[in-house]
Amino acid sequence: AKLARSVDWRFLEERFGAPPEALASRSPGGRFDIEKVRRAHAKGDLETAFQMLRAETRRSARNRDVVLLFWEIAVEHDQAESAAPVMLQLIREELRRGALDAAISQWRRLGERVPSAILEPAVLLKLLPLIRSKLGDDAVVLALHQAADPSGQGFTPEIGAEIAREAAAIEPEIAVKVATRALAAKAI
């Protein structure tokens, strides 16, 4: 065991070359090294960049730059669905920070690639006024459809009533559907 620990790694590197760049994306200080990911991406190694970012976003999806780079590479790597959960988490984080324009932009980008990725109805309701002002009525209708989606989490009779109020003028069909669902949930 002592012999194995005394190996001079510099000798091995001189003789056989340096080992390939490790997949680990952490610097010696323990910080995530986004530049290592960018270098892998620039070299055309999408798989390595994708895996490093996937590992980092599983650890924490609060860093906007990391999540957006993961999204970009996932889209390029034809893996947008894999990045959708962290994009949803980032949108929630942007709302928490008060970065509403960023949240709307990311919601739009996510919806274009992964329409099945849906925020909770309460979150969509918070975004609705800004969606209306920034993206227009078509985007509002999409947001209302998502908020009314029965597979969505967090639907309550109160939220259903609010969705119905918002939808009444622009999409009456959604208003009726959601109001009926809210009343049925209230009766239970």
Side-chain angles (χ1 to χ4, degrees):
K2 285 185 179 181
L3 180 61
R5 283 185 286 211
S6 67
V7 170
D8 185 0
W9 292 106
R10 288 173 291 174
F11 166 76
L12 292 173
E13 286 181 8
E14 287 173 11
R15 175 145 174 122
F16 300 106
E21 197 168 357
L23 190 62
S25 52
R26 298 237 159 236
S27 68
R31 295 183 53 104
F32 181 72
D33 187 357
I34 198 166
E35 291 308 314
K36 191 172 188 178
V37 174
R38 288 187 173 127
R39 285 191 301 274
H41 183 239
K43 289 179 190 175
D45 190 356
L46 286 177
E47 182 62 27
T48 297
F50 178 78
Q51 293 303 332
M52 285 190 288
L53 287 164
R54 174 184 268 176
E56 180 62 14
T57 56
R58 283 182 177 159
R59 191 188 69 72
S60 172
R62 296 184 105 172
N63 184 318
R64 178 186 298 147
D65 294 336
V66 170
V67 172
L68 293 178
L69 183 59
F70 180 47
W71 173 256
E72 176 186 317
I73 289 173
V75 166
E76 196 174 330
H77 196 51
D78 225 9
Q79 296 286 326
E81 294 83 17
S82 297
V86 295
M87 281 293 280
L88 289 169
Q89 187 175 339
L90 179 62
I91 294 166
R92 290 182 203 102
E93 183 64 22
E94 299 290 24
L95 281 170
R96 190 189 67 70
R97 290 181 193 145
L100 300 177
D101 287 337
I104 294 299
S105 173
Q106 291 151 10
W107 174 78
R108 182 183 47 79
R109 291 168 67 189
L110 179 61
E112 289 171 353
R113 294 290 182 165
V114 187
S116 62
I118 299 175
L119 285 164
E120 300 80 14
V123 174
L124 284 165
L125 285 169
K126 286 179 188 174
L127 289 175
L128 212 52
L130 199 55
I131 291 171
R132 181 174 281 122
S133 70
K134 298 282 184 182
L135 303 176
D137 285 347
D138 288 342
V140 170
V141 170
L142 173 63
L144 288 168
H145 276 284
Q146 288 182 355
D149 189 312
S151 67
Q153 301 290 325
F155 184 89
T156 65
E158 294 77 18
I159 289 174
E162 197 172 333
I163 294 167
R165 272 192 299 279
E166 290 289 341
I170 193 168
E171 193 72 14
E173 183 181 310
I174 293 174
V176 170
K177 182 172 87 172
V178 172
T180 303
R181 185 170 153 216
L183 288 171
K186 189 89 168 169
I188 293 178

